[in-house]
């Protein structure tokens, strides 16, 4: 790549898209955000995605840069090999051939990826998992999803659905998950689940961040809810470690903003659960909410090496 070469990167979420022009060495030269307005329906969202990507390519050329590839990441089930957004509830996509549509509009090599896998890819190559060959990135927010990155490549699974660690059943008979089963990890330990659990017991609404704060301040109910969530998370991560045997687990998403209040008890609980397994290093993500967009850029760059 020449120093004027850039890739166009888009991380499309249910509410907003994070977009950037990124150089081959991972440096972001320009970033912008746009609303997704998923309620307008999939056709309108696709139109916005293509329009924003085209606008970024035009901006690059106006700045004397040369856009050479496009990377788009979306949530849900993504068939990366065929470039199809198979199913994405948040964005309203169902079997959208987004890669070919973007390629047709911009005339540039295009990669389509999954948002959490792309975030994990970025953390593994550029962020908190940089020095490890085997990384598990776990994003904990409204739900819980993971990306297993080996040697700088995120494993997609046979059907584009690898990494659904949030649906490991950790509490049989526990709270019902959005997927329909009771006791999935994300029904107990996601930020949304922690807020729900505390609110139901305390009779007042609270977010997971508030529960963490109250637990730290010595409130018994908040401390119980927080501990239960941490214990369940440790069970899920122990299962993950049995399956993946990684060097580093990178925790991302909103819940990790609790910092040591999450990481310290979680490290201890995970340590207790290790028998013959090698204990992974447990660290907070380094790239924040830019990770997905940087991952989209990496996927775009990877298309040029093939
Ligand atoms: Zn589930």
């Amino acid at each position: 790549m020449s120093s004027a070469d850039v890739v166009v990167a888009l991380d499309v979420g249910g509410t907003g898209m994070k977009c950037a022009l990124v150089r081959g060495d991972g440096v972001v030269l320009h970033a912008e955000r746009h609303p997704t307005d998923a309620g307008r329906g999939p056709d309108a969202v696709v139109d916005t995605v293509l329009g924003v990507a085209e606008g970024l390519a035009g901006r690059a050329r106006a700045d004397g840069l040369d856009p050479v590839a496009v990377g788009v990441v979306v949530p849900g089930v993504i068939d990366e090999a065929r470039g199809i957004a198979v199913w994405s509830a948040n964005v309203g996509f169902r079997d959208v051939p987004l890669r070919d549509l973007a390629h047709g509009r911009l005339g540039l090599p295009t990669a389509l990826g999954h948002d959490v896998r792309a975030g994990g890819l970025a953390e593994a190559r550029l962020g908190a998992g940089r020095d490890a060959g085997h990384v598990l990135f776990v994003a904990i927010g409204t739900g819980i999803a993971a990306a297993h990155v080996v040697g700088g490549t995120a494993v997609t699974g046979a059907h584009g659905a690898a990494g659904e660690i949030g649906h490991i059943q950790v509490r049989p008979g526990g709270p019902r998950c959005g997927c329909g089963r009771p006791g999935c990890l994300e029904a107990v330990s996601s930020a949304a689940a922690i807020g729900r659990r505390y609110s139901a017991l305390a009779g007042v609404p609270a977010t997971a961040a508030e529960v963490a704060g109250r637990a730290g301040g010595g409130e018994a109910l908040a401390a119980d809810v927080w501990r239960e969530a941490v214990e369940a998370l440790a069970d899920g991560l122990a299962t993950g470690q049995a399956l993946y045997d990684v060097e580093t687990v990178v925790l991302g998403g909103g819940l990790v903003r609790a910092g040591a209040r999450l990481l310290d008890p979680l490290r201890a609980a995970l340590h207790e659960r290790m028998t013959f397994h090698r204990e992974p290093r447990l660290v907070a993500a380094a790239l924040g909410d830019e990770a997905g967009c940087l991952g989209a850029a990496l996927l775009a760059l990877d298309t040029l090496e093939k």
Side-chain angles (χ1 to χ4, degrees), residues 87-139:
W87 182 80
S88 175
N90 294 346
V91 188
F93 288 168
R94 182 102 217 190
D95 291 324
V96 176
L98 201 50
R99 184 185 63 196
D100 287 352
L101 289 171
H103 180 253
R105 178 84 84 97
L106 281 90
L108 295 171
T110 302
L112 178 69
H114 177 264
D115 60 347
V116 174
R117 283 200 291 271
L121 190 66
E123 286 289 349
R125 288 207 215 158
L126 308 169
R130 213 164 47 245
D131 302 320
H134 296 251
V135 174
L136 186 69
F137 171 70
V138 183

Short mmCIF file of all heavy atoms in Angstrom, two decimals, residues 87-139:
data_model
loop_
_atom_site.label_atom_id
_atom_site.label_comp_id
_atom_site.label_asym_id
_atom_site.label_seq_id
_atom_site.Cartn_x
_atom_site.Cartn_y
_atom_site.Cartn_z
N TRP A 87 -29.17 -12.39 9.18
CA TRP A 87 -30.23 -12.06 10.12
C TRP A 87 -29.70 -11.06 11.13
O TRP A 87 -28.72 -11.33 11.81
CB TRP A 87 -30.72 -13.31 10.84
CG TRP A 87 -31.85 -13.06 11.78
CD1 TRP A 87 -33.16 -12.91 11.47
CD2 TRP A 87 -31.75 -12.90 13.20
NE1 TRP A 87 -33.89 -12.67 12.63
CE2 TRP A 87 -33.06 -12.66 13.69
CE3 TRP A 87 -30.68 -12.94 14.11
CZ2 TRP A 87 -33.33 -12.45 15.04
CZ3 TRP A 87 -30.95 -12.73 15.46
CH2 TRP A 87 -32.27 -12.50 15.92
N SER A 88 -30.30 -9.91 11.21
CA SER A 88 -29.86 -8.91 12.15
C SER A 88 -31.08 -8.16 12.68
O SER A 88 -31.60 -7.27 12.02
CB SER A 88 -28.88 -7.96 11.47
OG SER A 88 -28.55 -6.92 12.36
N ALA A 89 -31.55 -8.56 13.86
CA ALA A 89 -32.77 -8.00 14.43
C ALA A 89 -32.65 -6.50 14.65
O ALA A 89 -33.55 -5.73 14.30
CB ALA A 89 -33.11 -8.70 15.74
N ASN A 90 -31.49 -6.05 15.18
CA ASN A 90 -31.32 -4.63 15.53
C ASN A 90 -31.42 -3.72 14.31
O ASN A 90 -31.89 -2.60 14.41
CB ASN A 90 -29.94 -4.40 16.14
CG ASN A 90 -29.78 -5.08 17.47
OD1 ASN A 90 -30.77 -5.51 18.04
ND2 ASN A 90 -28.56 -5.19 17.94
N VAL A 91 -30.91 -4.19 13.20
CA VAL A 91 -30.84 -3.35 12.01
C VAL A 91 -31.97 -3.69 11.03
O VAL A 91 -32.23 -2.96 10.09
CB VAL A 91 -29.45 -3.51 11.34
CG1 VAL A 91 -29.27 -2.52 10.22
CG2 VAL A 91 -28.33 -3.33 12.36
N GLY A 92 -32.63 -4.82 11.26
CA GLY A 92 -33.75 -5.22 10.42
C GLY A 92 -33.34 -5.93 9.14
O GLY A 92 -34.14 -6.05 8.21
N PHE A 93 -32.06 -6.42 9.08
CA PHE A 93 -31.60 -7.09 7.86
C PHE A 93 -32.01 -8.56 7.86
O PHE A 93 -31.96 -9.24 8.86
CB PHE A 93 -30.07 -7.04 7.75
CG PHE A 93 -29.53 -5.67 7.42
CD1 PHE A 93 -28.18 -5.40 7.53
CD2 PHE A 93 -30.37 -4.66 7.00
CE1 PHE A 93 -27.66 -4.16 7.23
CE2 PHE A 93 -29.87 -3.41 6.70
CZ PHE A 93 -28.51 -3.16 6.82
N ARG A 94 -32.41 -9.04 6.70
CA ARG A 94 -32.71 -10.46 6.51
C ARG A 94 -32.20 -10.82 5.12
O ARG A 94 -32.73 -10.34 4.12
CB ARG A 94 -34.23 -10.65 6.62
CG ARG A 94 -34.70 -12.05 6.49
CD ARG A 94 -35.03 -12.64 7.85
NE ARG A 94 -34.63 -14.04 7.84
CZ ARG A 94 -34.94 -14.90 8.78
NH1 ARG A 94 -35.61 -14.52 9.83
NH2 ARG A 94 -34.56 -16.15 8.68
N ASP A 95 -31.13 -11.62 5.06
CA ASP A 95 -30.53 -12.05 3.78
C ASP A 95 -30.22 -10.88 2.85
O ASP A 95 -30.62 -10.88 1.68
CB ASP A 95 -31.46 -13.05 3.08
CG ASP A 95 -31.52 -14.38 3.83
OD1 ASP A 95 -30.48 -14.78 4.39
OD2 ASP A 95 -32.60 -14.99 3.89
N VAL A 96 -29.50 -9.90 3.38
CA VAL A 96 -29.10 -8.74 2.56
C VAL A 96 -27.68 -8.97 2.03
O VAL A 96 -26.74 -9.12 2.80
CB VAL A 96 -29.14 -7.44 3.39
CG1 VAL A 96 -28.63 -6.27 2.55
CG2 VAL A 96 -30.55 -7.17 3.90
N PRO A 97 -27.51 -9.02 0.70
CA PRO A 97 -26.16 -9.24 0.13
C PRO A 97 -25.35 -7.95 0.15
O PRO A 97 -25.01 -7.39 -0.90
CB PRO A 97 -26.47 -9.71 -1.30
CG PRO A 97 -27.76 -9.04 -1.64
CD PRO A 97 -28.54 -8.89 -0.35
N LEU A 98 -25.02 -7.50 1.35
CA LEU A 98 -24.45 -6.17 1.53
C LEU A 98 -23.08 -6.01 0.87
O LEU A 98 -22.75 -4.93 0.37
CB LEU A 98 -24.37 -5.88 3.04
CG LEU A 98 -24.28 -4.43 3.47
CD1 LEU A 98 -25.35 -3.57 2.82
CD2 LEU A 98 -24.39 -4.34 5.00
N ARG A 99 -22.29 -7.08 0.88
CA ARG A 99 -20.95 -6.97 0.28
C ARG A 99 -21.06 -6.66 -1.22
O ARG A 99 -20.41 -5.74 -1.72
CB ARG A 99 -20.15 -8.26 0.48
CG ARG A 99 -18.73 -8.13 -0.07
CD ARG A 99 -17.97 -9.43 0.03
NE ARG A 99 -18.58 -10.46 -0.79
CZ ARG A 99 -18.33 -11.76 -0.68
NH1 ARG A 99 -17.48 -12.19 0.22
NH2 ARG A 99 -18.92 -12.62 -1.47
N ASP A 100 -21.90 -7.42 -1.93
CA ASP A 100 -22.03 -7.20 -3.38
C ASP A 100 -22.67 -5.84 -3.67
O ASP A 100 -22.33 -5.18 -4.65
CB ASP A 100 -22.84 -8.32 -4.02
CG ASP A 100 -22.04 -9.62 -4.08
OD1 ASP A 100 -20.82 -9.57 -3.78
OD2 ASP A 100 -22.61 -10.66 -4.43
N LEU A 101 -23.61 -5.44 -2.82
CA LEU A 101 -24.25 -4.12 -3.02
C LEU A 101 -23.22 -3.01 -2.89
O LEU A 101 -23.19 -2.07 -3.70
CB LEU A 101 -25.38 -3.93 -2.00
CG LEU A 101 -26.63 -4.79 -2.22
CD1 LEU A 101 -27.58 -4.66 -1.03
CD2 LEU A 101 -27.34 -4.39 -3.51
N ALA A 102 -22.36 -3.10 -1.86
CA ALA A 102 -21.34 -2.05 -1.66
C ALA A 102 -20.31 -2.09 -2.77
O ALA A 102 -19.87 -1.05 -3.28
CB ALA A 102 -20.67 -2.24 -0.29
N HIS A 103 -19.93 -3.30 -3.17
CA HIS A 103 -18.96 -3.43 -4.26
C HIS A 103 -19.52 -2.85 -5.55
O HIS A 103 -18.85 -2.14 -6.30
CB HIS A 103 -18.59 -4.91 -4.45
CG HIS A 103 -17.60 -5.12 -5.55
ND1 HIS A 103 -17.95 -5.68 -6.76
CD2 HIS A 103 -16.30 -4.80 -5.64
CE1 HIS A 103 -16.88 -5.71 -7.54
NE2 HIS A 103 -15.87 -5.19 -6.89
N GLY A 104 -20.82 -3.10 -5.79
CA GLY A 104 -21.47 -2.58 -6.99
C GLY A 104 -21.51 -1.06 -6.99
O GLY A 104 -21.32 -0.42 -8.02
N ARG A 105 -21.78 -0.47 -5.81
CA ARG A 105 -21.92 0.98 -5.74
C ARG A 105 -20.57 1.69 -5.79
O ARG A 105 -20.40 2.70 -6.46
CB ARG A 105 -22.67 1.36 -4.46
CG ARG A 105 -22.85 2.86 -4.25
CD ARG A 105 -24.06 3.43 -5.00
NE ARG A 105 -25.27 3.26 -4.23
CZ ARG A 105 -25.81 4.19 -3.44
NH1 ARG A 105 -25.27 5.37 -3.36
NH2 ARG A 105 -26.90 3.93 -2.76
N LEU A 106 -19.56 1.14 -5.07
CA LEU A 106 -18.29 1.85 -4.95
C LEU A 106 -17.20 1.32 -5.88
O LEU A 106 -16.19 1.99 -6.08
CB LEU A 106 -17.78 1.81 -3.50
CG LEU A 106 -18.47 2.81 -2.57
CD1 LEU A 106 -19.70 2.20 -1.93
CD2 LEU A 106 -17.53 3.32 -1.50
N GLY A 107 -17.39 0.11 -6.41
CA GLY A 107 -16.39 -0.46 -7.30
C GLY A 107 -15.08 -0.80 -6.60
O GLY A 107 -14.03 -0.85 -7.24
N LEU A 108 -15.13 -1.03 -5.29
CA LEU A 108 -13.91 -1.35 -4.54
C LEU A 108 -14.08 -2.72 -3.88
O LEU A 108 -15.21 -3.13 -3.57
CB LEU A 108 -13.69 -0.31 -3.43
CG LEU A 108 -13.40 1.13 -3.88
CD1 LEU A 108 -13.42 2.06 -2.67
CD2 LEU A 108 -12.07 1.20 -4.61
N PRO A 109 -12.95 -3.44 -3.66
CA PRO A 109 -13.05 -4.70 -2.92
C PRO A 109 -13.72 -4.44 -1.56
O PRO A 109 -13.39 -3.46 -0.90
CB PRO A 109 -11.58 -5.13 -2.72
CG PRO A 109 -10.76 -4.25 -3.56
CD PRO A 109 -11.58 -3.06 -3.98
N THR A 110 -14.65 -5.30 -1.19
CA THR A 110 -15.44 -5.05 0.02
C THR A 110 -15.51 -6.30 0.89
O THR A 110 -15.64 -7.41 0.36
CB THR A 110 -16.87 -4.62 -0.36
OG1 THR A 110 -16.81 -3.44 -1.16
CG2 THR A 110 -17.70 -4.31 0.88
N ALA A 111 -15.40 -6.11 2.19
CA ALA A 111 -15.57 -7.20 3.15
C ALA A 111 -16.78 -6.89 4.01
O ALA A 111 -17.01 -5.75 4.40
CB ALA A 111 -14.33 -7.33 4.03
N LEU A 112 -17.58 -7.94 4.30
CA LEU A 112 -18.68 -7.80 5.25
C LEU A 112 -18.35 -8.67 6.45
O LEU A 112 -17.95 -9.82 6.30
CB LEU A 112 -20.00 -8.26 4.62
CG LEU A 112 -21.21 -8.18 5.56
CD1 LEU A 112 -21.59 -6.74 5.86
CD2 LEU A 112 -22.41 -8.93 4.96
N GLY A 113 -18.51 -8.11 7.66
CA GLY A 113 -18.19 -8.87 8.87
C GLY A 113 -19.21 -8.66 9.96
O GLY A 113 -20.18 -7.92 9.80
N HIS A 114 -18.94 -9.32 11.07
CA HIS A 114 -19.81 -9.28 12.24
C HIS A 114 -19.23 -8.29 13.24
O HIS A 114 -18.01 -8.26 13.46
CB HIS A 114 -19.84 -10.69 12.83
CG HIS A 114 -20.63 -10.82 14.09
ND1 HIS A 114 -20.06 -10.77 15.34
CD2 HIS A 114 -21.96 -10.99 14.29
CE1 HIS A 114 -21.01 -10.91 16.24
NE2 HIS A 114 -22.16 -11.06 15.63
N ASP A 115 -20.08 -7.47 13.86
CA ASP A 115 -19.55 -6.36 14.67
C ASP A 115 -18.69 -6.82 15.85
O ASP A 115 -17.60 -6.28 16.07
CB ASP A 115 -20.67 -5.43 15.13
CG ASP A 115 -21.74 -6.11 15.97
OD1 ASP A 115 -21.76 -7.37 16.02
OD2 ASP A 115 -22.54 -5.40 16.59
N VAL A 116 -19.14 -7.83 16.59
CA VAL A 116 -18.36 -8.26 17.76
C VAL A 116 -17.09 -8.98 17.33
O VAL A 116 -16.02 -8.77 17.91
CB VAL A 116 -19.21 -9.14 18.70
CG1 VAL A 116 -18.35 -9.69 19.84
CG2 VAL A 116 -20.37 -8.33 19.27
N ARG A 117 -17.19 -9.79 16.26
CA ARG A 117 -15.97 -10.45 15.77
C ARG A 117 -14.96 -9.43 15.27
O ARG A 117 -13.75 -9.57 15.48
CB ARG A 117 -16.30 -11.45 14.66
CG ARG A 117 -16.90 -12.76 15.19
CD ARG A 117 -16.76 -13.88 14.18
NE ARG A 117 -17.60 -13.72 13.01
CZ ARG A 117 -18.87 -14.15 12.89
NH1 ARG A 117 -19.44 -14.77 13.91
NH2 ARG A 117 -19.54 -13.98 11.80
N ALA A 118 -15.46 -8.38 14.64
CA ALA A 118 -14.56 -7.32 14.16
C ALA A 118 -13.93 -6.58 15.34
O ALA A 118 -12.73 -6.27 15.32
CB ALA A 118 -15.32 -6.35 13.27
N GLY A 119 -14.74 -6.32 16.37
CA GLY A 119 -14.21 -5.67 17.57
C GLY A 119 -13.13 -6.53 18.21
O GLY A 119 -12.08 -6.02 18.65
N GLY A 120 -13.38 -7.83 18.26
CA GLY A 120 -12.39 -8.76 18.82
C GLY A 120 -11.12 -8.79 18.00
O GLY A 120 -10.01 -8.84 18.53
N LEU A 121 -11.30 -8.75 16.68
CA LEU A 121 -10.15 -8.73 15.78
C LEU A 121 -9.28 -7.51 16.05
O LEU A 121 -8.05 -7.61 16.15
CB LEU A 121 -10.68 -8.69 14.34
CG LEU A 121 -9.70 -8.90 13.21
CD1 LEU A 121 -9.16 -10.31 13.26
CD2 LEU A 121 -10.39 -8.64 11.87
N ALA A 122 -9.92 -6.35 16.20
CA ALA A 122 -9.18 -5.12 16.46
C ALA A 122 -8.49 -5.17 17.82
O ALA A 122 -7.32 -4.80 17.95
CB ALA A 122 -10.12 -3.91 16.38
N GLU A 123 -9.18 -5.67 18.85
CA GLU A 123 -8.55 -5.76 20.17
C GLU A 123 -7.38 -6.74 20.13
O GLU A 123 -6.36 -6.52 20.79
CB GLU A 123 -9.58 -6.21 21.23
CG GLU A 123 -10.58 -5.12 21.62
CD GLU A 123 -9.95 -3.99 22.45
OE1 GLU A 123 -8.81 -4.12 22.92
OE2 GLU A 123 -10.63 -2.95 22.62
N ALA A 124 -7.54 -7.84 19.36
CA ALA A 124 -6.47 -8.85 19.31
C ALA A 124 -5.25 -8.34 18.54
O ALA A 124 -4.12 -8.65 18.87
CB ALA A 124 -7.00 -10.14 18.69
N ARG A 125 -5.48 -7.55 17.48
CA ARG A 125 -4.34 -7.11 16.68
C ARG A 125 -3.77 -5.78 17.13
O ARG A 125 -2.57 -5.55 17.03
CB ARG A 125 -4.77 -6.97 15.21
CG ARG A 125 -4.99 -8.30 14.53
CD ARG A 125 -4.75 -8.14 13.03
NE ARG A 125 -5.63 -8.97 12.25
CZ ARG A 125 -5.95 -8.74 10.97
NH1 ARG A 125 -5.48 -7.68 10.36
NH2 ARG A 125 -6.75 -9.55 10.33
N LEU A 126 -4.66 -4.87 17.59
CA LEU A 126 -4.21 -3.50 17.89
C LEU A 126 -4.41 -3.10 19.34
O LEU A 126 -3.88 -2.09 19.79
CB LEU A 126 -4.99 -2.49 17.03
CG LEU A 126 -5.05 -2.72 15.52
CD1 LEU A 126 -6.08 -1.78 14.89
CD2 LEU A 126 -3.68 -2.46 14.90
N GLY A 127 -5.23 -3.85 20.09
CA GLY A 127 -5.64 -3.40 21.43
C GLY A 127 -5.09 -4.24 22.56
O GLY A 127 -3.92 -4.62 22.58
N ALA A 128 -5.98 -4.58 23.51
CA ALA A 128 -5.56 -5.22 24.77
C ALA A 128 -5.05 -6.64 24.60
O ALA A 128 -4.40 -7.17 25.50
CB ALA A 128 -6.73 -5.20 25.75
N GLY A 129 -5.34 -7.29 23.45
CA GLY A 129 -4.88 -8.66 23.24
C GLY A 129 -3.67 -8.74 22.32
O GLY A 129 -3.33 -9.82 21.83
N ARG A 130 -3.04 -7.60 22.11
CA ARG A 130 -1.99 -7.44 21.10
C ARG A 130 -0.87 -8.48 21.16
O ARG A 130 -0.36 -8.89 20.14
CB ARG A 130 -1.39 -6.05 21.26
CG ARG A 130 -0.92 -5.40 20.04
CD ARG A 130 -0.72 -3.91 20.23
NE ARG A 130 0.01 -3.53 21.43
CZ ARG A 130 -0.52 -2.84 22.43
NH1 ARG A 130 -1.78 -2.49 22.40
NH2 ARG A 130 0.20 -2.51 23.48
N ASP A 131 -0.48 -8.89 22.36
CA ASP A 131 0.69 -9.76 22.46
C ASP A 131 0.32 -11.24 22.53
O ASP A 131 1.19 -12.07 22.76
CB ASP A 131 1.50 -9.38 23.71
CG ASP A 131 1.94 -7.92 23.64
OD1 ASP A 131 2.31 -7.48 22.53
OD2 ASP A 131 1.86 -7.22 24.66
N ALA A 132 -0.96 -11.57 22.31
CA ALA A 132 -1.39 -12.96 22.45
C ALA A 132 -1.80 -13.53 21.10
O ALA A 132 -2.40 -12.85 20.27
CB ALA A 132 -2.57 -13.04 23.43
N GLY A 133 -1.50 -14.80 20.86
CA GLY A 133 -1.91 -15.46 19.62
C GLY A 133 -3.34 -15.96 19.68
O GLY A 133 -4.02 -16.05 18.66
N HIS A 134 -3.80 -16.28 20.89
CA HIS A 134 -5.15 -16.80 21.08
C HIS A 134 -5.89 -15.89 22.05
O HIS A 134 -5.50 -15.77 23.21
CB HIS A 134 -5.11 -18.23 21.65
CG HIS A 134 -4.48 -19.22 20.73
ND1 HIS A 134 -5.20 -20.19 20.07
CD2 HIS A 134 -3.19 -19.38 20.33
CE1 HIS A 134 -4.38 -20.91 19.32
NE2 HIS A 134 -3.15 -20.44 19.46
N VAL A 135 -6.93 -15.24 21.56
CA VAL A 135 -7.65 -14.24 22.35
C VAL A 135 -9.15 -14.53 22.32
O VAL A 135 -9.70 -14.88 21.27
CB VAL A 135 -7.41 -12.81 21.77
CG1 VAL A 135 -8.25 -11.77 22.49
CG2 VAL A 135 -5.92 -12.46 21.83
N LEU A 136 -9.79 -14.40 23.48
CA LEU A 136 -11.26 -14.40 23.51
C LEU A 136 -11.71 -13.01 23.91
O LEU A 136 -11.35 -12.52 24.99
CB LEU A 136 -11.79 -15.44 24.51
CG LEU A 136 -13.32 -15.60 24.49
CD1 LEU A 136 -13.78 -16.25 23.18
CD2 LEU A 136 -13.80 -16.43 25.68
N PHE A 137 -12.43 -12.34 23.01
CA PHE A 137 -12.98 -11.01 23.29
C PHE A 137 -14.44 -11.20 23.68
O PHE A 137 -15.19 -11.85 22.96
CB PHE A 137 -12.87 -10.15 22.04
CG PHE A 137 -13.59 -8.82 22.13
CD1 PHE A 137 -13.13 -7.82 22.95
CD2 PHE A 137 -14.72 -8.58 21.36
CE1 PHE A 137 -13.79 -6.59 23.02
CE2 PHE A 137 -15.39 -7.36 21.42
CZ PHE A 137 -14.91 -6.36 22.26
N VAL A 138 -14.82 -10.69 24.84
CA VAL A 138 -16.19 -10.87 25.32
C VAL A 138 -16.80 -9.48 25.54
O VAL A 138 -16.31 -8.70 26.35
CB VAL A 138 -16.23 -11.66 26.65
CG1 VAL A 138 -17.67 -11.89 27.09
CG2 VAL A 138 -15.51 -13.00 26.49
N ALA A 139 -17.83 -9.17 24.77
CA ALA A 139 -18.51 -7.88 24.87
C ALA A 139 -19.75 -8.04 25.75
O ALA A 139 -20.63 -8.84 25.44
CB ALA A 139 -18.90 -7.38 23.49
#
